[in-house]
Amino acid sequence: MSAGEPGSVVRRMLLGSQLRRLREARGITREAAGYSIRASESKISRMELGRVSFKTRDVEDLLTLYGVDAEAERESLLSLAREANVAGWWHSYTDVLPSWFPTYVGLEGAAHLIRVYEVQFVHGLLQTEEYARAVVRRGMKGASTADVERRVALRLERQKHLLADDPEGAPEFHIVLDEAALRRPYGDREVMRGQLRHLIEVSERPNVRLQVMPFGLGGHSGESGAFTLLSFPESDLSDVVYVEQLTSALYLDKREDVIQYEQALKELQQDSPGPAESRDILRGILQLT
């Protein structure tokens, strides 16, 4: 991938997983690996999870420790380390983003399947510009107009891959939107009407499956709140669950955690009306807005 694409996050994860396998194959502890590069056990853990950038010297020393002597194999992994440190296109927006969010943007852009449950507002990938601006203003009280506009610009940039004119290379996007997200007003009446029309239009795209979870259903498997499941084309990468909180975010990739969220989303999809019926719900809300 080029410097402007989201591959750096995924490449960090790929390199980290390969370093972990090499370490485990040699029976070396994280503590011992950390000692060899003058780092802590937790630093090795973060490297293996792809959560930090890689210094070439550290990777070289770890490969030596793990007995990787073949020049071709070493160079392949070192090349991956160099590519993993290339800044993504979103790097210029980091001044207006919370510290945990750039990682998500990279993962989102690299995923081939994005599955979402959203309850508070329309998901960022489906927001109109006017609706996004209203959401950002509500969430960033006191922010300058320039900062608000930069956040909106980032949100629109994220949408380009999903809503490209040629959907063949776009990710699959499956979303269950709680009816609360459609009823809660952001912006004025025209902003909400525009957002609802946009959802109806986008839901017709071949790579988008949009379902509405109606109020009438009562309790359901999404009671713990919004979450996102990201799946990647690379077989070496596990699925990641993203759960955003007020001051931080969780990235869960343990298989037992992922399975629970997959089951919750499956139940949400089964309990919600299908895409065609959900479009009828959207049209009904639009008529009343």
Side-chain angles (χ1 to χ4, degrees):
M1 292 185 178
S2 68
E5 294 180 345
S8 55
V9 173
V10 168
R11 290 182 191 282
R12 287 205 308 265
M13 293 170 66
L14 284 170
L15 178 58
S17 67
Q18 292 188 50
L19 290 174
R20 176 180 55 77
R21 280 199 294 272
L22 288 168
R23 177 182 59 76
E24 291 176 345
R26 300 283 290 194
I28 297 171
T29 65
R30 287 195 183 95
E31 183 179 13
Y35 182 81
S36 74
I37 62 168
R38 303 154 298 280
S40 65
E41 179 182 353
S42 64
K43 171 71 176 294
I44 295 296
S45 177
R46 291 195 299 274
M47 289 175 68
E48 292 181 351
L49 290 170
R51 303 286 164 78
V52 293
S53 59
F54 293 88
K55 293 180 180 177
T56 302
R57 178 185 171 185
D58 288 345
V59 176
E60 288 176 337
D61 290 347
L62 288 173
L63 292 178
T64 299
L65 178 68
Y66 301 158
V68 179
D69 300 320
E71 188 60 34
E73 186 178 3
R74 286 180 70 92
E75 181 51 37
S76 174
L77 291 169
L78 289 170
S79 176
L80 193 58
R82 288 189 290 269
E83 293 169 2
N85 289 331
V86 174
W89 61 261
W90 58 90
H91 182 72
S92 61
Y93 293 96
T94 53
D95 60 314
V96 293
L97 289 178
S99 59
W100 66 86
F101 199 63
T103 296
Y104 173 77
V105 177
L107 293 175
E108 179 186 79
H112 74 107
L113 172 61
I114 304 170
R115 290 169 288 174
V116 175
Y117 172 61
E118 186 58 77
V119 63
Q120 175 68 17
F121 37 62
V122 173
H123 190 273
L125 289 180
L126 301 182
Q127 293 177 5
T128 65
E129 181 176 349
E130 295 78 12
Y131 181 94
R133 188 171 290 112
V135 170
V136 172
R137 283 175 177 162
R138 180 88 58 90
M140 295 179 63
K141 289 183 173 67
S144 69
T145 299
D147 283 352
V148 169
E149 291 306 313
R150 282 168 57 71
R151 286 286 290 271
V152 173
L154 170 65
R155 200 156 299 186
L156 298 178
E157 190 69 29
R158 285 168 52 203
Q159 296 177 7
K160 289 182 178 179
H161 186 41
L162 177 69
L163 305 178
D165 291 336
D166 178 12
E168 189 168 323
E172 288 287 319
F173 186 74
H174 299 176
I175 182 168
V176 177
L177 264 179
D178 197 281
E179 187 175 346
L182 305 171
R183 299 284 188 179
R184 182 174 293 106
Y186 282 91
D188 61 23
R189 179 172 177 267
E190 281 309 307
V191 169
M192 290 303 298
R193 288 181 61 81
Q195 180 62 69
L196 289 165
R197 284 192 292 264
H198 181 64
L199 289 174
I200 293 168
E201 179 182 345
V202 169
S203 72
E204 299 276 8
R205 295 179 64 88
N207 61 316
V208 174
R209 177 182 174 87
L210 190 156
Q211 294 174 262
V212 175
M213 169 59 72
F215 284 143
L217 185 70
H220 54 70
S221 61
E223 291 172 335
S224 62
F227 60 89
T228 299
L229 271 162
L230 301 163
S231 302
F232 308 94
E234 293 84 1
S235 59
D236 286 350
L237 291 184
S238 61
D239 292 352
V240 174
V241 179
Y242 173 76
V243 183
E244 191 167 305
Q245 301 172 329
L246 185 61
T247 59
S248 63
L250 298 176
Y251 293 89
L252 309 173
D253 58 3
K254 290 184 179 178
R255 190 60 197 151
E256 56 266 32
D257 292 331
V258 172
I259 288 173
Q260 288 201 49
Y261 278 93
E262 284 181 332
Q263 183 60 35
L265 190 66
K266 183 178 180 181
E267 291 177 13
L268 284 165
Q269 291 173 327
Q270 290 173 341
D271 291 342
S272 300
E277 192 175 346
S278 292
R279 271 191 291 276
D280 289 338
I281 293 174
L282 289 168
R283 293 187 185 104
I285 296 174
L286 176 59
Q287 289 178 351
L288 297 173
T289 300

